[in-house]
Amino acid sequence: MFDLDRIRRDTPAAESTVFLDSAGSSLPPTPVVETAVAHLRREAEVGGYRAANERMSDLAGVKSSIATLIGAHASDIALSDSATRAWSDFFYSIPLAEGDRVLLCEVEYASNAIAALQRAEAVGAVVEFVPSDPSGQIDLDAFEKMLDDSVRVVSLVHAPTNGGLVNPAREVAELAHRHDALVLLDACQSIGQIRVDVDELGVDALSATGRKWLRGPRGTGFLYMRPELATTLEPPALDLHSAQWTGENDFRLAPDVTRFEFWECDVAARLALGTAVDYLLDIGIDDVQDAVVERAEYLRAALRGVSGVTVHDLGERKSGIVSFTVDGKAPIDVRDALAQRNVTVTVSHRRSTLVDMTQRGLDAVVRASPHYFVTVEQLDEMVAALRAS
């Protein structure tokens, strides 16, 4: 196992607060903060261009580190400013026409669903939702029956924002590929807490953020794309980094996934993202996954022992997200009461996962997401604070 004492020293706020919102925006370790701050200071000394040129090899290393984490190659990675941007850039590049079908899961995140509905309306495509099975995960039998050659893309949320299940990505990809449908995996809530290997999962593209379980800075994310796809898809927007202006009326797209990047970016944040990924690789994703699962299961069991509390997590396989409600109390009031006792949780509202929460009759849930730097004693503190609130 990893050195929890060292990790907590690298996370000073973990000593002074019970932090249970890594599914929202986690606490970055000190090396991540120092990387970002050091580069900003260098920009103040020599300007952004020179400061970036000095770190070109380190910037390239960010992609290499991400590639190591997900079992890909650096040339398969495009850096972005968020998971939503990465997801949208890929989705809007897929050719869609009248009558084409887009399949979403019932735990689809609002940003993805809105983009899919907008695009479908513009081109005459159809958006359909694959039902969930009794366990809460995507129903593979129903999914297989919905598939035919009119399905162009399947969006699968690996781990939803509103509860602790993990969807079976490999099985979805295998079924979809029988009909040549593309599979776009929203790994926003799984990267950093669950082992994700794109080769094992067989997905065509993957979107992720840096600020959640990776413990990187806000304003960072990335897109993985199966390499042969990059030469066949054209992003919805280009600049002088994603393409070259070759003549007065001509341009040439970058020959790889670089065509999904823009030139201007937050260099300090990207360098810090690389530090965050390296920090995770140094600990080991398998140890992190075990620790997160252990903490989430401990918290679920403890919450079930609190009168009036209902845990709402579904799925055959659980993630580190723990969702619950308290009888007679609005989730936002529970969140605020816990904050008064130095416990940080958040609220997941129906508008974020409209289909799933509507079907389950939930307007909102309290969401707690303990990362590996949280101790069991702190989880006990959270439960005690909940009882007292």
Side-chain angles (χ1 to χ4, degrees):
M1 287 294 293
F2 50 78
D3 185 345
L4 182 57
D5 289 339
R6 177 185 69 83
I7 288 168
R8 286 177 64 79
R9 287 194 299 272
D10 285 342
T11 315
E15 293 291 347
S16 58
T17 186
V18 180
F19 186 83
L20 303 174
D21 192 23
S22 287
S25 187
S26 192
L27 300 177
T30 298
V32 172
V33 176
E34 290 176 343
T35 296
V37 171
H39 189 75
L40 289 174
R41 286 178 176 151
R42 186 58 176 160
E43 287 186 344
E45 294 168 349
V46 300
Y49 283 9
R50 179 176 166 185
N53 287 337
E54 292 171 349
R55 302 298 298 275
M56 291 302 289
S57 62
D58 294 320
L59 281 167
V62 177
K63 293 186 180 183
S64 296
S65 296
I66 293 170
T68 299
L69 179 65
I70 67 171
H73 299 284
S75 57
D76 304 333
I77 307 296
L79 298 178
S80 185
D81 59 15
S82 69
T84 296
R85 177 80 66 183
W87 190 97
S88 297
D89 283 349
F90 180 81
F91 179 78
Y92 279 90
S93 73
I94 299 169
L96 290 178
E98 185 174 358
D100 286 346
R101 297 166 63 213
V102 176
L103 300 187
L104 310 181
C105 52
E106 289 188 337
V107 293
E108 192 66 71
Y109 187 59
S111 293
N112 302 348
I114 290 168
L117 291 168
Q118 180 202 37
R119 185 103 190 280
E121 182 178 2
V123 302
V126 179
V127 174
E128 301 173 30
F129 288 86
V130 182
S132 301
D133 68 16
S135 77
Q137 69 185 29
I138 189 170
D139 189 324
L140 293 173
D141 290 334
F143 176 60
E144 185 173 16
K145 292 175 183 176
M146 293 176 71
L147 287 168
D148 61 28
D149 292 345
S150 67
V151 176
R152 293 289 174 263
V153 61
V154 177
S155 173
L156 179 68
V157 175
H158 201 195
T161 189
N162 67 328
L165 71 85
V166 180
N167 268 314
R170 180 182 180 88
E171 291 83 350
V172 167
E174 288 176 347
L175 291 171
H177 289 162
R178 294 177 188 175
H179 295 273
D180 296 324
L182 296 173
V183 177
L184 171 53
L185 185 69
D186 180 342
C188 188
Q189 290 288 5
S190 55
I191 289 289
Q193 66 146 322
I194 295 170
R195 172 174 284 281
V196 175
D197 186 300
V198 292
D199 188 50
E200 291 179 5
L201 297 180
V203 296
D204 300 289
L206 174 153
S207 59
T209 186
R211 76 176 190 273
K212 297 181 183 290
W213 301 92
L214 281 177
R215 303 184 65 196
R218 296 192 71 176
T220 60
F222 67 88
L223 171 68
Y224 155 81
M225 191 183 310
R226 191 161 47 83
E228 56 269 31
L229 272 180
T231 59
T232 66
L233 299 179
E234 182 170 329
L238 300 170
D239 76 347
L240 79 173
H241 177 78
S242 46
Q244 287 186 341
W245 194 11
T246 55
E248 186 173 337
N249 297 301
D250 298 295
F251 66 90
R252 181 172 64 246
L253 286 163
D256 55 23
V257 73
T258 303
R259 64 179 62 182
F260 285 84
E261 293 180 337
F262 268 26
W263 181 81
E264 183 56 41
C265 66
D266 186 336
V267 175
R270 289 190 175 180
L271 290 169
L273 173 63
T275 300
V277 175
D278 289 339
Y279 193 89
L280 173 61
L281 291 171
D282 182 62
I283 297 171
I285 184 60
D286 290 330
D287 283 344
V288 166
Q289 178 175 277
D290 290 345
V292 171
V293 168
E294 179 183 87
R295 285 155 174 75
E297 283 301 320
Y298 182 91
L299 183 57
R300 289 188 190 102
L303 288 172
R304 290 188 180 105
V306 179
S307 177
V309 171
T310 301
V311 176
H312 293 283
D313 297 323
L314 303 175
E316 294 181 8
R317 180 187 176 192
K318 299 293 195 299
S319 77
I321 294 176
V322 180
S323 61
F324 65 95
T325 52
V326 180
D327 290 348
K329 296 183 179 180
I332 58 172
D333 292 336
V334 175
R335 177 200 64 194
D336 293 346
L338 288 175
Q340 291 295 318
R341 298 174 186 273
N342 215 24
V343 177
T344 301
V345 297
T346 193
V347 174
S348 185
H349 297 276
R350 187 171 68 95
R351 60 179 177 267
S352 294
T353 44
L354 182 68
V355 174
D356 174 64
M357 292 184 73
T358 298
Q359 291 188 350
R360 292 200 280 157
L362 296 170
D363 288 325
V365 294
V366 184
R367 187 183 71 187
S369 45
H371 216 329
Y372 58 85
F373 56 78
V374 177
T375 65
V376 170
E377 291 76 15
Q378 288 183 311
L379 296 177
D380 290 339
E381 286 182 46
M382 182 271 191
V383 175
L386 185 64
R387 290 181 187 275
S389 64

